[in-house]
Amino acid sequence: MIKTQNPQSKIQNLKSKIAQSPYQAYIYSYPHKTAYRPFNPPIYLPELWTQQDRQALFLYIHIPFCEMRCGFCNLFTTVSHNEDFISQYVRTLQRQAQRMKAVLGDASFARFAIGGGTPTQLPIQHLATVLDIAENTMGAKLQEIPISVEVSPETATEEKLKLLRSHSIDRVSIGVQSFIESEVLATQRRQSNTQVEAALTRIKEAGFPTLNIDLIYGLPGQTVDTWLQSIHTALRFQPEEIYLYPLYVRPLTGLGRTDKEWDDIRLACYREGRSLLLSEGYTQVSMRMFRQGGQGGQGGQGGQGGQGGQGSNLSPLSPPSPLSPLSPPSPIYCCQADGMVGLGCGARSYTNTLHYSNEYAVGAKGIRDILQAYIQTADELFEYAHYGFQLNAEEQRRRYILLSLLSDEGLNFVNYRQRFASQVDADFPELSELLTLNLAIKDEDSLHLTEFGIERSDTIGAWLFSEKVQELMQDYELK
């Protein structure tokens, strides 16, 4: 029996949260990075990874560079960089990869992603080096696995897109946010529709099997009509995937430093946007993700596996893009069970019992200090985890439930029992309240969120956090 906080207290807590705005915090994984703390002593990675199944890992490489800092962004990225600093970063990435390959030994990768930041902000020779690190240093078989790369309108040049496609990248994700230029400008982002549409045209012409477009609702000055106008414009490019993100105004971001207030139309935007995409033949995979034609991922359990919120939409709730029917079979990645190997400053790595990374910051100085420390790291120190979170039995179960429940896959009772040798109803009796509040429906084998539950995914996700994680998050001092 898992010792959780009083179920009645949890139930009252959920009722209270449901009565509030559904947009309190963006939930993409568990535990949240603000629950991470230093390890004393550091944890030796060769011993950690020998206890982990390494036959279906996710490889993620983080590139913390952007051409501009968007007003809503709290990702680990910087605009203060030059050619020399980028070169130092990529050389450090190579050193880290060499150590991690030795740590992992005979490992197989089921998925690969490059996020940030903006990976295509790298000069093309460094972008080529990053791909080489994945393929030749880490041993990822790029032609056989789903691969995703994030780009921006300004950096999605024909030359870089050609390089990505030549290395079998099958999914390109581009953050457009809005096709209304005044709305984009209000987020302290500079881009023109001419520039955006030219980049989208180049991506389509390059022949990537999956194009994903990110859009944001709740922007300053936005209306439901202009929001739908942005979605209609995105649909002209026939994206295989679309992410609809609510705006969250977070501390130390550009918008977070302003005193502006704007009408909260996010719920209306979400409902109208969802309705439009469903009418256009898209399937809703999670609160944020919509996929064209209901295409499946790699199938079966864990089809929604991804990269732990490292980049904008590379999260455990984002499914892999389907490969060509002629693609060779590859290991199926299960986000609830399989490990993630993060390379680069800002990347997180996951095993069953430990999540670890570098320290986290949003402010320019904090990010710069962490990047400098990363570049100066001695080779042997890459064999240790210095900062993160250890998952006990309860936390492992919470993570499994959260990642399952917040996607269309749902929480499968048989899979849960096979993994943890216990019954989910006995471990977490408070889950029954999801049924009472019409947030979920239950059948013989699984628990799935209702339409109302999917709408409140971030509320449900935060409700599933343990008291320990909540306390750590509250005590965290953001840099």
Side-chain angles (χ1 to χ4, degrees), residues 171-183:
R171 178 180 184 270
V172 167
S173 178
I174 183 168
V176 173
Q177 320 315 351
S178 172
F179 285 93
I180 308 299
E181 291 187 3
S182 61
E183 294 174 5

Side-chain angles (χ1 to χ4, degrees), residues 346-365:
R348 285 182 281 171
S349 298
Y350 299 161
T351 71
N352 289 337
T353 59
L354 190 82
H355 292 186
Y356 64 93
S357 69
N358 302 95
E359 290 194 43
Y360 171 65
V362 174
K365 183 181 184 303

Side-chain angles (χ1 to χ4, degrees), residues 182-457:
S182 61
E183 294 174 5
V184 174
L185 189 61
T187 69
Q188 304 161 10
R189 182 184 179 105
R190 60 174 191 273
Q191 68 184 34
S192 68
N193 278 351
T194 300
Q195 181 187 49
V196 171
E197 295 191 18
L200 288 167
T201 299
R202 288 193 297 272
I203 292 168
K204 294 297 287 188
E205 290 175 346
F208 292 93
T210 299
L211 164 64
N212 174 75
I213 297 177
D214 288 349
L215 298 173
I216 294 181
Y217 53 94
L219 296 172
Q222 191 177 55
T223 66
V224 174
D225 286 342
T226 62
W227 165 241
L228 294 177
Q229 184 179 328
S230 281
I231 297 177
H232 278 295
T233 304
L235 290 174
R236 283 176 29 213
F237 296 92
Q238 300 180 309
E240 284 72 26
E241 297 172 3
I242 297 182
Y243 272 73
L244 305 184
Y245 285 98
L247 176 69
Y248 285 114
V249 179
R250 293 164 288 202
L252 300 188
T253 63
L255 290 178
R257 292 190 181 97
T258 70
D259 295 324
K260 290 182 181 179
E261 294 184 9
W262 44 86
D263 292 335
D264 191 352
I265 59 167
R266 287 173 292 184
L267 196 53
C269 286
Y270 165 81
R271 290 173 176 172
E272 291 294 327
R274 175 183 182 274
S275 179
L276 172 57
L277 290 181
L278 294 181
S279 74
E280 292 290 332
Y282 284 79
T283 297
Q284 187 169 20
V285 179
S286 68
M287 174 186 165
R288 281 166 267 272
M289 183 186 178
F290 296 81
R291 170 172 279 158
Q292 191 180 65
Q295 304 174 66
Q298 288 180 326
Q301 182 183 192
Q304 87 281 9
Q307 181 41 45
Q310 312 273 19
S312 66
N313 57 40
L314 305 174
S315 77
L317 304 179
S318 57
S321 52
L323 291 174
S324 159
L326 301 178
S327 302
S330 60
I332 293 177
Y333 177 78
C334 172
C335 73
Q336 299 98 323
D338 293 319
M340 303 184 186
V341 179
L343 300 177
C345 193
R348 285 182 281 171
S349 298
Y350 299 161
T351 71
N352 289 337
T353 59
L354 190 82
H355 292 186
Y356 64 93
S357 69
N358 302 95
E359 290 194 43
Y360 171 65
V362 174
K365 183 181 184 303
I367 291 173
R368 188 75 180 187
D369 290 347
I370 294 169
L371 281 170
Q372 287 287 4
Y374 172 76
I375 287 172
Q376 294 166 8
T377 301
D379 289 2
E380 58 271 17
L381 292 182
F382 284 124
E383 294 184 356
Y384 291 85
H386 301 268
Y387 186 79
F389 185 92
Q390 290 184 303
L391 287 79
N392 61 18
E394 178 194 339
E395 300 293 9
Q396 291 175 45
R397 285 166 167 78
R398 286 186 182 278
R399 181 174 188 269
Y400 188 97
I401 291 169
L402 187 149
L403 296 186
S404 300
L405 198 54
L406 298 194
S407 81
D408 65 340
E409 178 185 339
L411 174 59
N412 185 284
F413 303 138
V414 175
N415 292 340
Y416 180 94
R417 185 171 63 249
Q418 289 176 343
R419 179 163 174 77
F420 297 110
S422 61
Q423 301 285 351
V424 69
D425 288 345
D427 289 345
F428 297 93
E430 61 267 32
L431 287 175
S432 63
E433 188 62 14
L434 296 175
L435 305 175
T436 304
L437 296 176
N438 191 34
L439 295 167
I441 54 174
K442 182 180 181 181
D443 57 31
E444 185 177 343
D445 299 321
S446 60
L447 186 70
H448 290 265
L449 295 184
T450 60
E451 181 179 323
F452 178 50
I454 294 170
E455 184 179 277
R456 305 287 166 149
S457 288

